[in-house]
PDB file of all heavy atoms in Angstrom:
ATOM      1  N   ALA B1036      99.162  78.375   3.463  1.00 95.00           N
ATOM      2  CA  ALA B1036      99.980  79.340   2.677  1.00 95.00           C
ATOM      3  C   ALA B1036     100.256  78.811   1.297  1.00 95.00           C
ATOM      4  O   ALA B1036     100.660  77.633   1.141  1.00 95.00           O
ATOM      5  CB  ALA B1036     101.307  79.593   3.394  1.00 95.00           C
ATOM      6  N   ALA B1037     100.028  79.603   0.306  1.00 93.00           N
ATOM      7  CA  ALA B1037     100.245  79.301  -1.090  1.00 93.00           C
ATOM      8  C   ALA B1037     101.592  79.900  -1.565  1.00 93.00           C
ATOM      9  O   ALA B1037     101.865  81.031  -1.242  1.00 93.00           O
ATOM     10  CB  ALA B1037      99.103  79.755  -1.960  1.00 93.00           C
ATOM     11  N   SER B1038     102.378  79.118  -2.243  1.00 92.00           N
ATOM     12  CA  SER B1038     103.611  79.571  -2.773  1.00 92.00           C
ATOM     13  C   SER B1038     103.795  79.213  -4.210  1.00 92.00           C
ATOM     14  O   SER B1038     103.188  78.227  -4.721  1.00 92.00           O
ATOM     15  CB  SER B1038     104.824  79.044  -1.924  1.00 92.00           C
ATOM     16  OG  SER B1038     104.878  77.630  -2.020  1.00 92.00           O
ATOM     17  N   GLY B1039     104.635  79.923  -4.956  1.00 88.00           N
ATOM     18  CA  GLY B1039     104.851  79.662  -6.361  1.00 88.00           C
ATOM     19  C   GLY B1039     104.741  80.930  -7.170  1.00 88.00           C
ATOM     20  O   GLY B1039     104.624  82.039  -6.586  1.00 88.00           O
ATOM     21  N   SER B1040     104.729  80.802  -8.478  1.00 88.00           N
ATOM     22  CA  SER B1040     104.626  81.936  -9.367  1.00 88.00           C
ATOM     23  C   SER B1040     103.179  82.344  -9.516  1.00 88.00           C
ATOM     24  O   SER B1040     102.571  82.302 -10.606  1.00 88.00           O
ATOM     25  CB  SER B1040     105.259  81.611 -10.714  1.00 88.00           C
ATOM     26  OG  SER B1040     106.593  81.286 -10.573  1.00 88.00           O
ATOM     27  N   ILE B1041     102.599  82.806  -8.471  1.00 90.00           N
ATOM     28  CA  ILE B1041     101.166  83.154  -8.428  1.00 90.00           C
ATOM     29  C   ILE B1041     100.941  84.531  -9.007  1.00 90.00           C
ATOM     30  O   ILE B1041     101.565  85.518  -8.553  1.00 90.00           O
ATOM     31  CB  ILE B1041     100.619  83.052  -6.978  1.00 90.00           C
ATOM     32  CG1 ILE B1041     100.778  81.625  -6.492  1.00 90.00           C
ATOM     33  CG2 ILE B1041      99.147  83.492  -6.946  1.00 90.00           C
ATOM     34  CD1 ILE B1041     100.446  81.475  -5.012  1.00 90.00           C
ATOM     35  N   VAL B1042     100.018  84.654  -9.877  1.00 90.00           N
ATOM     36  CA  VAL B1042      99.614  85.932 -10.446  1.00 90.00           C
ATOM     37  C   VAL B1042      98.453  86.522  -9.653  1.00 90.00           C
ATOM     38  O   VAL B1042      98.509  87.714  -9.296  1.00 90.00           O
ATOM     39  CB  VAL B1042      99.224  85.776 -11.941  1.00 90.00           C
ATOM     40  CG1 VAL B1042      98.728  87.110 -12.502  1.00 90.00           C
ATOM     41  CG2 VAL B1042     100.395  85.276 -12.774  1.00 90.00           C
ATOM     42  N   SER B1043      97.442  85.732  -9.371  1.00 89.00           N
ATOM     43  CA  SER B1043      96.338  86.184  -8.591  1.00 89.00           C
ATOM     44  C   SER B1043      95.602  84.969  -8.006  1.00 89.00           C
ATOM     45  O   SER B1043      95.707  83.871  -8.531  1.00 89.00           O
ATOM     46  CB  SER B1043      95.376  87.029  -9.417  1.00 89.00           C
ATOM     47  OG  SER B1043      94.781  86.253 -10.450  1.00 89.00           O
ATOM     48  N   ILE B1044      94.926  85.219  -6.873  1.00 91.00           N
ATOM     49  CA  ILE B1044      94.132  84.152  -6.259  1.00 91.00           C
ATOM     50  C   ILE B1044      92.658  84.491  -6.422  1.00 91.00           C
ATOM     51  O   ILE B1044      92.254  85.590  -5.961  1.00 91.00           O
ATOM     52  CB  ILE B1044      94.509  83.985  -4.796  1.00 91.00           C
ATOM     53  CG1 ILE B1044      95.966  83.573  -4.632  1.00 91.00           C
ATOM     54  CG2 ILE B1044      93.548  82.987  -4.104  1.00 91.00           C
ATOM     55  CD1 ILE B1044      96.415  83.422  -3.203  1.00 91.00           C
ATOM     56  N   ASN B1045      91.923  83.641  -7.069  1.00 90.00           N
ATOM     57  CA  ASN B1045      90.520  83.897  -7.316  1.00 90.00           C
ATOM     58  C   ASN B1045      89.617  83.551  -6.130  1.00 90.00           C
ATOM     59  O   ASN B1045      88.662  84.248  -5.852  1.00 90.00           O
ATOM     60  CB  ASN B1045      90.059  83.148  -8.578  1.00 90.00           C
ATOM     61  CG  ASN B1045      90.940  83.454  -9.769  1.00 90.00           C
ATOM     62  OD1 ASN B1045      91.095  84.594 -10.126  1.00 90.00           O
ATOM     63  ND2 ASN B1045      91.484  82.413 -10.366  1.00 90.00           N
ATOM     64  N   ALA B1046      89.918  82.452  -5.480  1.00 93.00           N
ATOM     65  CA  ALA B1046      89.137  82.021  -4.353  1.00 93.00           C
ATOM     66  C   ALA B1046      89.983  81.075  -3.490  1.00 93.00           C
ATOM     67  O   ALA B1046      90.828  80.341  -3.966  1.00 93.00           O
ATOM     68  CB  ALA B1046      87.829  81.313  -4.806  1.00 93.00           C
ATOM     69  N   LEU B1047      89.681  81.106  -2.220  1.00 94.00           N
ATOM     70  CA  LEU B1047      90.292  80.191  -1.233  1.00 94.00           C
ATOM     71  C   LEU B1047      89.212  79.520  -0.397  1.00 94.00           C
ATOM     72  O   LEU B1047      88.222  80.127  -0.131  1.00 94.00           O
ATOM     73  CB  LEU B1047      91.271  80.955  -0.326  1.00 94.00           C
ATOM     74  CG  LEU B1047      92.450  81.583  -0.970  1.00 94.00           C
ATOM     75  CD1 LEU B1047      93.072  82.639  -0.051  1.00 94.00           C
ATOM     76  CD2 LEU B1047      93.506  80.517  -1.310  1.00 94.00           C
ATOM     77  N   GLY B1048      89.450  78.267  -0.030  1.00 96.00           N
ATOM     78  CA  GLY B1048      88.463  77.591   0.728  1.00 96.00           C
ATOM     79  C   GLY B1048      88.993  76.432   1.560  1.00 96.00           C
ATOM     80  O   GLY B1048      90.121  76.018   1.462  1.00 96.00           O
ATOM     81  N   TRP B1049      88.123  75.929   2.445  1.00 98.00           N
ATOM     82  CA  TRP B1049      88.410  74.812   3.276  1.00 98.00           C
ATOM     83  C   TRP B1049      87.318  73.732   3.082  1.00 98.00           C
ATOM     84  O   TRP B1049      86.118  74.092   3.150  1.00 98.00           O
ATOM     85  CB  TRP B1049      88.494  75.234   4.786  1.00 98.00           C
ATOM     86  CG  TRP B1049      89.656  76.093   5.115  1.00 98.00           C
ATOM     87  CD1 TRP B1049      89.664  77.441   5.155  1.00 98.00           C
ATOM     88  CD2 TRP B1049      90.978  75.604   5.470  1.00 98.00           C
ATOM     89  NE1 TRP B1049      90.955  77.870   5.498  1.00 98.00           N
ATOM     90  CE2 TRP B1049      91.714  76.749   5.748  1.00 98.00           C
ATOM     91  CE3 TRP B1049      91.543  74.376   5.650  1.00 98.00           C
ATOM     92  CZ2 TRP B1049      93.064  76.679   6.154  1.00 98.00           C
ATOM     93  CZ3 TRP B1049      92.888  74.285   6.024  1.00 98.00           C
ATOM     94  CH2 TRP B1049      93.620  75.442   6.281  1.00 98.00           C
ATOM     95  N   TYR B1050      87.777  72.541   2.889  1.00 98.00           N
ATOM     96  CA  TYR B1050      86.897  71.399   2.867  1.00 98.00           C
ATOM     97  C   TYR B1050      87.289  70.440   4.038  1.00 98.00           C
ATOM     98  O   TYR B1050      88.367  70.575   4.591  1.00 98.00           O
ATOM     99  CB  TYR B1050      87.014  70.640   1.527  1.00 98.00           C
ATOM    100  CG  TYR B1050      86.356  71.324   0.367  1.00 98.00           C
ATOM    101  CD1 TYR B1050      86.923  72.412  -0.249  1.00 98.00           C
ATOM    102  CD2 TYR B1050      85.167  70.768  -0.183  1.00 98.00           C
ATOM    103  CE1 TYR B1050      86.287  73.012  -1.299  1.00 98.00           C
ATOM    104  CE2 TYR B1050      84.536  71.390  -1.265  1.00 98.00           C
ATOM    105  CZ  TYR B1050      85.106  72.482  -1.825  1.00 98.00           C
ATOM    106  OH  TYR B1050      84.522  73.105  -2.912  1.00 98.00           O
ATOM    107  N   ARG B1051      86.411  69.539   4.346  1.00 98.00           N
ATOM    108  CA  ARG B1051      86.738  68.537   5.372  1.00 98.00           C
ATOM    109  C   ARG B1051      86.137  67.189   4.956  1.00 98.00           C
ATOM    110  O   ARG B1051      85.121  67.118   4.267  1.00 98.00           O
ATOM    111  CB  ARG B1051      86.252  68.968   6.741  1.00 98.00           C
ATOM    112  CG  ARG B1051      84.746  69.003   6.901  1.00 98.00           C
ATOM    113  CD  ARG B1051      84.403  69.557   8.296  1.00 98.00           C
ATOM    114  NE  ARG B1051      82.954  69.591   8.541  1.00 98.00           N
ATOM    115  CZ  ARG B1051      82.405  70.133   9.607  1.00 98.00           C
ATOM    116  NH1 ARG B1051      83.178  70.709  10.520  1.00 98.00           N
ATOM    117  NH2 ARG B1051      81.064  70.156   9.734  1.00 98.00           N
ATOM    118  N   GLN B1052      86.725  66.152   5.465  1.00 98.00           N
ATOM    119  CA  GLN B1052      86.292  64.776   5.185  1.00 98.00           C
ATOM    120  C   GLN B1052      86.476  63.907   6.425  1.00 98.00           C
ATOM    121  O   GLN B1052      87.583  63.779   6.883  1.00 98.00           O
ATOM    122  CB  GLN B1052      87.013  64.206   3.971  1.00 98.00           C
ATOM    123  CG  GLN B1052      86.435  62.854   3.538  1.00 98.00           C
ATOM    124  CD  GLN B1052      86.998  62.404   2.240  1.00 98.00           C
ATOM    125  OE1 GLN B1052      88.157  62.775   1.822  1.00 98.00           O
ATOM    126  NE2 GLN B1052      86.228  61.598   1.516  1.00 98.00           N
ATOM    127  N   ALA B1053      85.383  63.391   6.919  1.00 96.00           N
ATOM    128  CA  ALA B1053      85.419  62.478   8.029  1.00 96.00           C
ATOM    129  C   ALA B1053      85.414  61.069   7.507  1.00 96.00           C
ATOM    130  O   ALA B1053      84.980  60.778   6.382  1.00 96.00           O
ATOM    131  CB  ALA B1053      84.206  62.695   8.930  1.00 96.00           C
ATOM    132  N   PRO B1054      85.897  60.092   8.292  1.00 91.00           N
ATOM    133  CA  PRO B1054      85.928  58.690   7.851  1.00 91.00           C
ATOM    134  C   PRO B1054      84.548  58.197   7.379  1.00 91.00           C
ATOM    135  O   PRO B1054      83.564  58.342   8.112  1.00 91.00           O
ATOM    136  CB  PRO B1054      86.445  57.922   9.107  1.00 91.00           C
ATOM    137  CG  PRO B1054      87.209  58.937   9.846  1.00 91.00           C
ATOM    138  CD  PRO B1054      86.495  60.228   9.641  1.00 91.00           C
ATOM    139  N   GLY B1055      84.494  57.581   6.216  1.00 92.00           N
ATOM    140  CA  GLY B1055      83.264  57.034   5.712  1.00 92.00           C
ATOM    141  C   GLY B1055      82.318  58.041   5.157  1.00 92.00           C
ATOM    142  O   GLY B1055      81.186  57.712   4.760  1.00 92.00           O
ATOM    143  N   LYS B1056      82.680  59.320   5.099  1.00 94.00           N
ATOM    144  CA  LYS B1056      81.820  60.378   4.610  1.00 94.00           C
ATOM    145  C   LYS B1056      82.441  61.077   3.401  1.00 94.00           C
ATOM    146  O   LYS B1056      83.624  61.015   3.178  1.00 94.00           O
ATOM    147  CB  LYS B1056      81.517  61.391   5.722  1.00 94.00           C
ATOM    148  CG  LYS B1056      80.754  60.810   6.906  1.00 94.00           C
ATOM    149  CD  LYS B1056      80.434  61.904   7.936  1.00 94.00           C
ATOM    150  CE  LYS B1056      79.656  61.346   9.065  1.00 94.00           C
ATOM    151  NZ  LYS B1056      79.339  62.399  10.090  1.00 94.00           N
ATOM    152  N   GLU B1057      81.553  61.780   2.685  1.00 96.00           N
ATOM    153  CA  GLU B1057      82.050  62.526   1.508  1.00 96.00           C
ATOM    154  C   GLU B1057      82.698  63.841   1.961  1.00 96.00           C
ATOM    155  O   GLU B1057      82.366  64.403   3.003  1.00 96.00           O
ATOM    156  CB  GLU B1057      80.873  62.856   0.594  1.00 96.00           C
ATOM    157  CG  GLU B1057      80.196  61.604  -0.061  1.00 96.00           C
ATOM    158  CD  GLU B1057      81.114  60.863  -0.992  1.00 96.00           C
ATOM    159  OE1 GLU B1057      81.859  61.596  -1.690  1.00 96.00           O
ATOM    160  OE2 GLU B1057      81.004  59.674  -1.105  1.00 96.00           O
ATOM    161  N   ARG B1058      83.588  64.318   1.136  1.00 96.00           N
ATOM    162  CA  ARG B1058      84.235  65.605   1.401  1.00 96.00           C
ATOM    163  C   ARG B1058      83.205  66.701   1.196  1.00 96.00           C
ATOM    164  O   ARG B1058      82.433  66.711   0.235  1.00 96.00           O
ATOM    165  CB  ARG B1058      85.418  65.808   0.434  1.00 96.00           C
ATOM    166  CG  ARG B1058      86.186  67.065   0.721  1.00 96.00           C
ATOM    167  CD  ARG B1058      87.419  67.182  -0.200  1.00 96.00           C
ATOM    168  NE  ARG B1058      88.374  66.084   0.063  1.00 96.00           N
ATOM    169  CZ  ARG B1058      89.536  66.011  -0.575  1.00 96.00           C
ATOM    170  NH1 ARG B1058      89.933  66.935  -1.401  1.00 96.00           N
ATOM    171  NH2 ARG B1058      90.319  64.993  -0.252  1.00 96.00           N
ATOM    172  N   GLU B1059      83.160  67.667   2.117  1.00 97.00           N
ATOM    173  CA  GLU B1059      82.215  68.729   2.091  1.00 97.00           C
ATOM    174  C   GLU B1059      82.881  70.105   2.260  1.00 97.00           C
ATOM    175  O   GLU B1059      83.895  70.205   2.860  1.00 97.00           O
ATOM    176  CB  GLU B1059      81.158  68.549   3.215  1.00 97.00           C
ATOM    177  CG  GLU B1059      81.733  68.642   4.620  1.00 97.00           C
ATOM    178  CD  GLU B1059      80.644  68.687   5.663  1.00 97.00           C
ATOM    179  OE1 GLU B1059      79.481  68.923   5.354  1.00 97.00           O
ATOM    180  OE2 GLU B1059      80.993  68.449   6.856  1.00 97.00           O
ATOM    181  N   LEU B1060      82.261  71.099   1.639  1.00 97.00           N
ATOM    182  CA  LEU B1060      82.744  72.476   1.764  1.00 97.00           C
ATOM    183  C   LEU B1060      82.484  72.997   3.168  1.00 97.00           C
ATOM    184  O   LEU B1060      81.315  72.875   3.639  1.00 97.00           O
ATOM    185  CB  LEU B1060      82.075  73.341   0.729  1.00 97.00           C
ATOM    186  CG  LEU B1060      82.400  74.849   0.836  1.00 97.00           C
ATOM    187  CD1 LEU B1060      83.885  75.101   0.471  1.00 97.00           C
ATOM    188  CD2 LEU B1060      81.477  75.653  -0.090  1.00 97.00           C
ATOM    189  N   VAL B1061      83.487  73.556   3.800  1.00 98.00           N
ATOM    190  CA  VAL B1061      83.298  74.146   5.131  1.00 98.00           C
ATOM    191  C   VAL B1061      83.146  75.667   4.985  1.00 98.00           C
ATOM    192  O   VAL B1061      82.247  76.246   5.542  1.00 98.00           O
ATOM    193  CB  VAL B1061      84.513  73.854   5.993  1.00 98.00           C
ATOM    194  CG1 VAL B1061      84.394  74.537   7.360  1.00 98.00           C
ATOM    195  CG2 VAL B1061      84.656  72.353   6.240  1.00 98.00           C
ATOM    196  N   ALA B1062      84.053  76.289   4.258  1.00 98.00           N
ATOM    197  CA  ALA B1062      83.987  77.753   4.082  1.00 98.00           C
ATOM    198  C   ALA B1062      84.792  78.138   2.811  1.00 98.00           C
ATOM    199  O   ALA B1062      85.715  77.465   2.427  1.00 98.00           O
ATOM    200  CB  ALA B1062      84.609  78.424   5.323  1.00 98.00           C
ATOM    201  N   ARG B1063      84.401  79.258   2.273  1.00 97.00           N
ATOM    202  CA  ARG B1063      85.036  79.770   1.069  1.00 97.00           C
ATOM    203  C   ARG B1063      85.090  81.294   1.077  1.00 97.00           C
ATOM    204  O   ARG B1063      84.141  81.924   1.545  1.00 97.00           O
ATOM    205  CB  ARG B1063      84.315  79.281  -0.170  1.00 97.00           C
ATOM    206  CG  ARG B1063      84.968  79.658  -1.488  1.00 97.00           C
ATOM    207  CD  ARG B1063      84.207  79.101  -2.663  1.00 97.00           C
ATOM    208  NE  ARG B1063      82.890  79.649  -2.791  1.00 97.00           N
ATOM    209  CZ  ARG B1063      82.314  80.094  -3.907  1.00 97.00           C
ATOM    210  NH1 ARG B1063      82.999  79.997  -5.057  1.00 97.00           N
ATOM    211  NH2 ARG B1063      81.082  80.589  -3.892  1.00 97.00           N
ATOM    212  N   ILE B1064      86.142  81.870   0.534  1.00 95.00           N
ATOM    213  CA  ILE B1064      86.232  83.304   0.415  1.00 95.00           C
ATOM    214  C   ILE B1064      86.749  83.628  -0.980  1.00 95.00           C
ATOM    215  O   ILE B1064      87.705  83.024  -1.445  1.00 95.00           O
ATOM    216  CB  ILE B1064      87.205  83.907   1.500  1.00 95.00           C
ATOM    217  CG1 ILE B1064      87.202  85.443   1.414  1.00 95.00           C
ATOM    218  CG2 ILE B1064      88.581  83.318   1.437  1.00 95.00           C
ATOM    219  CD1 ILE B1064      87.859  86.093   2.601  1.00 95.00           C
ATOM    220  N   THR B1065      86.066  84.564  -1.651  1.00 91.00           N
ATOM    221  CA  THR B1065      86.421  84.903  -3.010  1.00 91.00           C
ATOM    222  C   THR B1065      87.375  86.076  -3.027  1.00 91.00           C
ATOM    223  O   THR B1065      87.707  86.700  -1.989  1.00 91.00           O
ATOM    224  CB  THR B1065      85.189  85.301  -3.816  1.00 91.00           C
ATOM    225  OG1 THR B1065      84.596  86.537  -3.281  1.00 91.00           O
ATOM    226  CG2 THR B1065      84.157  84.179  -3.766  1.00 91.00           C
ATOM    227  N   SER B1066      87.914  86.395  -4.191  1.00 86.00           N
ATOM    228  CA  SER B1066      88.863  87.509  -4.323  1.00 86.00           C
ATOM    229  C   SER B1066      88.247  88.861  -3.938  1.00 86.00           C
ATOM    230  O   SER B1066      88.977  89.746  -3.461  1.00 86.00           O
ATOM    231  CB  SER B1066      89.399  87.567  -5.771  1.00 86.00           C
ATOM    232  OG  SER B1066      88.334  87.799  -6.681  1.00 86.00           O
ATOM    233  N   GLY B1067      86.934  88.969  -4.095  1.00 87.00           N
ATOM    234  CA  GLY B1067      86.250  90.194  -3.713  1.00 87.00           C
ATOM    235  C   GLY B1067      85.807  90.238  -2.277  1.00 87.00           C
ATOM    236  O   GLY B1067      85.171  91.202  -1.857  1.00 87.00           O
ATOM    237  N   GLY B1068      86.132  89.197  -1.482  1.00 87.00           N
ATOM    238  CA  GLY B1068      85.767  89.170  -0.081  1.00 87.00           C
ATOM    239  C   GLY B1068      84.458  88.499   0.249  1.00 87.00           C
ATOM    240  O   GLY B1068      84.017  88.493   1.375  1.00 87.00           O
ATOM    241  N   GLY B1069      83.801  87.898  -0.767  1.00 94.00           N
ATOM    242  CA  GLY B1069      82.549  87.204  -0.526  1.00 94.00           C
ATOM    243  C   GLY B1069      82.799  85.931   0.340  1.00 94.00           C
ATOM    244  O   GLY B1069      83.818  85.268   0.174  1.00 94.00           O
ATOM    245  N   LEU B1070      81.864  85.644   1.188  1.00 96.00           N
ATOM    246  CA  LEU B1070      82.001  84.517   2.142  1.00 96.00           C
ATOM    247  C   LEU B1070      80.908  83.502   1.944  1.00 96.00           C
ATOM    248  O   LEU B1070      79.757  83.849   1.648  1.00 96.00           O
ATOM    249  CB  LEU B1070      81.975  85.028   3.555  1.00 96.00           C
ATOM    250  CG  LEU B1070      83.054  86.071   3.939  1.00 96.00           C
ATOM    251  CD1 LEU B1070      82.822  86.567   5.363  1.00 96.00           C
ATOM    252  CD2 LEU B1070      84.460  85.521   3.790  1.00 96.00           C
ATOM    253  N   ASP B1071      81.209  82.266   2.174  1.00 96.00           N
ATOM    254  CA  ASP B1071      80.260  81.149   2.068  1.00 96.00           C
ATOM    255  C   ASP B1071      80.605  80.159   3.092  1.00 96.00           C
ATOM    256  O   ASP B1071      81.768  79.687   3.167  1.00 96.00           O
ATOM    257  CB  ASP B1071      80.283  80.564   0.675  1.00 96.00           C
ATOM    258  CG  ASP B1071      79.096  79.602   0.432  1.00 96.00           C
ATOM    259  OD1 ASP B1071      78.099  79.685   1.182  1.00 96.00           O
ATOM    260  OD2 ASP B1071      79.212  78.795  -0.504  1.00 96.00           O
ATOM    261  N   TYR B1072      79.650  79.741   3.951  1.00 98.00           N
ATOM    262  CA  TYR B1072      79.859  78.784   4.992  1.00 98.00           C
ATOM    263  C   TYR B1072      78.846  77.649   4.936  1.00 98.00           C
ATOM    264  O   TYR B1072      77.704  77.870   4.525  1.00 98.00           O
ATOM    265  CB  TYR B1072      79.738  79.430   6.374  1.00 98.00           C
ATOM    266  CG  TYR B1072      80.759  80.474   6.709  1.00 98.00           C
ATOM    267  CD1 TYR B1072      80.570  81.788   6.559  1.00 98.00           C
ATOM    268  CD2 TYR B1072      82.011  80.056   7.240  1.00 98.00           C
ATOM    269  CE1 TYR B1072      81.472  82.731   6.891  1.00 98.00           C
ATOM    270  CE2 TYR B1072      82.971  80.996   7.557  1.00 98.00           C
ATOM    271  CZ  TYR B1072      82.716  82.347   7.395  1.00 98.00           C
ATOM    272  OH  TYR B1072      83.675  83.294   7.698  1.00 98.00           O
ATOM    273  N   ALA B1073      79.282  76.485   5.385  1.00 97.00           N
ATOM    274  CA  ALA B1073      78.360  75.411   5.540  1.00 97.00           C
ATOM    275  C   ALA B1073      77.412  75.721   6.719  1.00 97.00           C
ATOM    276  O   ALA B1073      77.836  76.364   7.663  1.00 97.00           O
ATOM    277  CB  ALA B1073      79.094  74.097   5.818  1.00 97.00           C
ATOM    278  N   ASP B1074      76.158  75.292   6.598  1.00 97.00           N
ATOM    279  CA  ASP B1074      75.197  75.615   7.645  1.00 97.00           C
ATOM    280  C   ASP B1074      75.653  75.078   9.013  1.00 97.00           C
ATOM    281  O   ASP B1074      75.376  75.721  10.068  1.00 97.00           O
ATOM    282  CB  ASP B1074      73.844  75.008   7.342  1.00 97.00           C
ATOM    283  CG  ASP B1074      73.168  75.682   6.201  1.00 97.00           C
ATOM    284  OD1 ASP B1074      73.486  76.855   5.904  1.00 97.00           O
ATOM    285  OD2 ASP B1074      72.268  75.085   5.595  1.00 97.00           O
ATOM    286  N   SER B1075      76.346  73.994   9.029  1.00 97.00           N
ATOM    287  CA  SER B1075      76.767  73.385  10.285  1.00 97.00           C
ATOM    288  C   SER B1075      77.845  74.171  11.034  1.00 97.00           C
ATOM    289  O   SER B1075      78.055  73.906  12.238  1.00 97.00           O
ATOM    290  CB  SER B1075      77.284  71.920  10.026  1.00 97.00           C
ATOM    291  OG  SER B1075      78.372  71.963   9.135  1.00 97.00           O
ATOM    292  N   VAL B1076      78.499  75.103  10.363  1.00 98.00           N
ATOM    293  CA  VAL B1076      79.581  75.870  11.015  1.00 98.00           C
ATOM    294  C   VAL B1076      79.284  77.325  11.145  1.00 98.00           C
ATOM    295  O   VAL B1076      80.109  78.053  11.735  1.00 98.00           O
ATOM    296  CB  VAL B1076      80.923  75.627  10.264  1.00 98.00           C
ATOM    297  CG1 VAL B1076      81.229  74.167  10.126  1.00 98.00           C
ATOM    298  CG2 VAL B1076      80.923  76.324   8.942  1.00 98.00           C
ATOM    299  N   LYS B1077      78.193  77.770  10.632  1.00 97.00           N
ATOM    300  CA  LYS B1077      77.871  79.219  10.672  1.00 97.00           C
ATOM    301  C   LYS B1077      77.751  79.676  12.160  1.00 97.00           C
ATOM    302  O   LYS B1077      77.144  79.017  12.960  1.00 97.00           O
ATOM    303  CB  LYS B1077      76.545  79.472   9.987  1.00 97.00           C
ATOM    304  CG  LYS B1077      76.619  79.374   8.451  1.00 97.00           C
ATOM    305  CD  LYS B1077      75.254  79.685   7.812  1.00 97.00           C
ATOM    306  CE  LYS B1077      75.372  79.606   6.274  1.00 97.00           C
ATOM    307  NZ  LYS B1077      74.052  79.873   5.633  1.00 97.00           N
ATOM    308  N   GLY B1078      78.391  80.804  12.413  1.00 97.00           N
ATOM    309  CA  GLY B1078      78.405  81.336  13.767  1.00 97.00           C
ATOM    310  C   GLY B1078      79.475  80.832  14.618  1.00 97.00           C
ATOM    311  O   GLY B1078      79.775  81.338  15.683  1.00 97.00           O
ATOM    312  N   ARG B1079      80.205  79.786  14.145  1.00 98.00           N
ATOM    313  CA  ARG B1079      81.302  79.190  14.916  1.00 98.00           C
ATOM    314  C   ARG B1079      82.650  79.318  14.214  1.00 98.00           C
ATOM    315  O   ARG B1079      83.697  79.509  14.874  1.00 98.00           O
ATOM    316  CB  ARG B1079      81.023  77.721  15.231  1.00 98.00           C
ATOM    317  CG  ARG B1079      79.765  77.477  16.002  1.00 98.00           C
ATOM    318  CD  ARG B1079      79.662  76.017  16.440  1.00 98.00           C
ATOM    319  NE  ARG B1079      79.567  75.100  15.300  1.00 98.00           N
ATOM    320  CZ  ARG B1079      80.439  74.135  14.963  1.00 98.00           C
ATOM    321  NH1 ARG B1079      81.497  73.953  15.780  1.00 98.00           N
ATOM    322  NH2 ARG B1079      80.243  73.372  13.936  1.00 98.00           N
TER     323      ARG B1079
END
């Protein structure tokens, strides 16, 4: 949940980071409803 004096949200997303690994994009959704998923999580 985002709080504050928000005018608009352009995009929202989730990243993850496992120990010893780089942070990676998991999923993203744009203001227009566009979706983007990492290959490893597609369908799940």
Side-chain angles (χ1 to χ4, degrees):
S1038 62
S1040 300
I1041 299 171
V1042 176
S1043 63
I1044 298 178
N1045 304 306
L1047 295 163
W1049 291 93
Y1050 285 74
R1051 67 184 181 187
Q1052 187 169 27
K1056 297 183 179 180
E1057 297 292 327
R1058 184 176 297 185
E1059 65 173 343
L1060 175 68
V1061 177
R1063 184 178 65 135
I1064 184 169
T1065 67
S1066 60
L1070 304 174
D1071 190 20
Y1072 294 97
D1074 289 339
S1075 60
V1076 307
K1077 288 181 179 178
R1079 299 188 297 119

